[in-house]
Amino acid sequence: MRKNTFRRIHPAPLAFGLALGCGTALPAMAADDATGKEPAHPPHAPEKSEKLAGQPQAVLSNPKGHGPDLVKEKDGTESEHWVVTASPMNTLRTPIGISRMPQDVLHTPQTIDVVPQILMQQQNVKSLDEALKNVPGITASVGEGEGGMSGDQFLIRGFAAQNDIYENGLRDFGVYTRDSFDYDHVTVIKGPSSQVFGNGTTGGAINITTKTPNEQNHIGASFSGGSGSYYRGTLDFNHKITDTIAVRLTAMGNENNMVGRDYIYSHRWGIAPSIIFGLGKKVNYTIEYFHQSDNRIPDYGVPTVKKPGAQYARPATEYGVSRTNWYGTTFDQDNTSDDMLTGRLKWEVNPHITVYNDTRGGLYSRYYSASQEACGTACNAALFSSHPGTATISRNGGLGGPNPYQQDDWSVQNVASAVANFNTGTIRHQMIGGVDVEHIYDRRLNYAYNGTRQGTSLLNPSMLVPGLERGAAGQYANNLTNMPNGVGKKEWKTGDATDVGAFFSEQAWLAPWFSVRAGFRWDHWDSHYSATGGVASTPDTHLGQKQDTFNPNVSLMYTPNDHSMIYFNWAQSTTPIGLYVTNSSEPLTPKNAAFKPERSNLYEIGAKYSAFHDRIGFTAAVFRLEKSNSLMTDPSSGDVTASSDNQRNQGLELSASGQIVKGWNMIATYARYDSETTSSLTLADVGKQVQYVPRNQATVWTTYEFAPKKAYNLTFGGGVTWREGVFLDPANTARVPANVEFDAMVSHQFGQHWKVTMNGYNLDNRLNYSNLFSNRVTPSIGRAFLFNLSMTY
């Protein structure tokens, strides 16, 4: 007698195995999908035993090497066990990797986009910014006002997420451009998530899951070279020292110019060693260290100009100004050094309770000097006159700054949490609770020039400014930064903040197919800001504030089986004044000390389905995101003001990812947004589209393996990212055109260990725009090609 059962290999460990290039078999994670019964553990959790239904005593080998395994049961019957391999592109089974969100993407009631490791490898992703190109609704913004932000500063669904970048669930406070050499995968959790992460997360949160030690000994290395004097090398080494101790080392060196932009370069290196004690045990502790140094040129892009008679201002490059033009000076520099030490404890107290404690300390150093171009009325008129060569731009943002500064920060955070799974009668529960404490300190020393930087030609800029000198700290006191909102010209800026938060949530399965999740987080926010030194006639400024915030979350989930879910989610978030201590121009100023915090509400209905034995995953969600008490930052002065605007973004998001047929993988996303300013003290802004929010955005990436495991094997891939044009200001008077970028790759595997890949980016050399701000934009990379040689043993 013979009966059929199935076992499934989940995509997360499979993707990991593919990334290592290992030929060893991976363990099955959850069994008996064919029964349709609810598993005894929460849907996300692997079964405690990896034995299949029937508890087989022996697995009979298949002499032909394919088809089902024949398994002999205790009663003497045989069962056919088919191993169905999930696609690593199907991200629904990916664990989010945060103790406060212990379930996988499929069973988390929120729109979640994952950039998996295999996708980053195929695209030769080198930075967080490049990884997030695969996620709709993500926009990068450039620096604002005197504070001069470069590096990673993102918007999610049009709302700032500059303080919402996390690594393994802990905040990364640094202000730098993050390299991807240590990334396992990147997760974007969309919508207010303050109940999990704390204050902020109006548009969502970005969480990076890093590479950590595992049981498989391996070494991998790669070298890339190509357009723009690009050279890059990476190393990934993992070794199991004992049965319970393993170490891992990842490292990177990178030098490149930017194709399509003059004088822009990045020279960086990084290293990330880690060790785990208690590998595979109920108590384990992982220690990770991360260091990245970067010496780069900041790029504030090109100004927007308005042609006479035109409806909107547009980038100057749309009117014949060269895309390569850079308007900085020889003094411009962005040098960063970032160090983080993290310890993560996991303790399985018993089959029902797991305790976590995550601790991180960070040191961040940065010297920053940038030129902020502005094309005023005279410049604009000259450009569209009969003598456009006379158009001259300012490099001071319209004011006397930004001036250089040295920034030195430190931070510490500890999150203690516990997850409990238990039953009360027929009702199953999962409770999560804990305490989150963090402190961040920021200290900036402002420098000054001996005079105002001269402007330069809009059409033919020069980085040389004759006679310009940067004085020592405290020198040229009268030329120090004139801080916004009446603070005055000061030598030192100091900011700090302490947040103490407590969170709790419970998910109760009222029936095997229906559950309710409700939770909250309370935070006590205490922040301070000082501006001291400099001009004696202006008194020093010392400000402080305290705020208590409460952010709830409620979700309803219908899960008819372990492959699908329909959900409703309501969540709130709060962004208090002074939240962006390290990456905002002014944490507090006299004019905003009494501002109410921003508040946002999310209403979302969605469905997720992992089809064809986890080969393909589908998601669909409609949402409405409302924000009140919106804060605005003036692009020239850096003034932070309360616009009192209420804004709304609503729309639809779709995704499909996985294996269409054997060897053909695809990941595709689409977002349709309808955004609007619903109320404002500036009546003309009411009804206008929210700045930076496109109406439509989509990404597609697909690959096909030809003759795999043959000597003549090839993998072809390609894709397109598209973002409709967006408005750059609340009044909708400036607009940037649509982005369309075509990328492609081809690779060949030499045996089991070596692979060669060629990537092409922006193949039609289209003029696209990446980083956006209200009066300037940065042209994206031009047509570029990269060659990559990699090996794994």
Side-chain angles (χ1 to χ4, degrees), residues 510-563:
L510 305 179
W513 46 267
F514 180 74
S515 62
V516 178
R517 183 183 184 274
F520 68 90
R521 173 162 170 150
W522 168 86
D523 284 271
H524 177 71
W525 182 257
D526 186 357
S527 57
H528 306 88
Y529 169 67
S530 298
T532 59
V535 179
S537 60
T538 304
D540 292 345
T541 298
H542 301 278
L543 300 169
Q545 69 163 7
K546 296 180 180 180
Q547 291 185 9
D548 291 305
T549 60
F550 182 83
N551 294 291
N553 175 290
V554 176
S555 301
L556 308 177
M557 288 156 281
Y558 169 63
T559 51
N561 52 55
D562 192 35
H563 298 278

Side-chain angles (χ1 to χ4, degrees), residues 223-235:
F223 172 78
S224 294
S227 304
S229 301
Y230 191 93
Y231 304 98
R232 178 182 177 87
T234 64
L235 173 69

Side-chain angles (χ1 to χ4, degrees), residues 438-506:
E438 64 183 50
H439 180 81
I440 177 68
Y441 175 87
D442 173 66
R443 180 77 158 165
R444 299 191 191 189
L445 173 60
N446 294 297
Y447 296 89
Y449 294 113
N450 61 342
T452 301
R453 278 164 289 187
Q454 299 174 8
T456 189
S457 169
L458 177 63
L459 300 185
N460 299 292
S462 171
M463 67 170 63
L464 301 176
V465 184
L468 187 68
E469 295 180 8
R470 197 212 77 178
Q475 194 176 358
Y476 312 137
N478 291 329
N479 292 318
L480 284 173
T481 299
N482 189 11
M483 298 182 188
N485 297 321
V487 173
K489 296 180 177 180
K490 292 298 173 183
E491 183 177 359
W492 291 94
K493 293 193 299 182
T494 305
D496 70 83
T498 301
D499 184 29
V500 178
F503 53 90
F504 176 81
S505 68
E506 179 186 2

Side-chain angles (χ1 to χ4, degrees), residues 126-127 130 177 179 224-233 252-259 261 263-269 294-297 781 784 786:
K126 301 163 288 295
S127 66
E130 290 183 12
T177 300
D179 194 282
S224 294
S227 304
S229 301
Y230 191 93
Y231 304 98
R232 178 182 177 87
M252 166 276 302
N254 188 104
E255 288 193 11
N256 69 277
N257 299 333
M258 182 172 176
V259 177
R261 298 289 290 155
Y263 309 115
I264 304 302
Y265 66 79
S266 171
H267 300 164
R268 62 185 184 269
W269 67 276
D294 194 357
N295 175 15
R296 66 173 54 233
I297 296 295
I781 187 173
L786 285 184

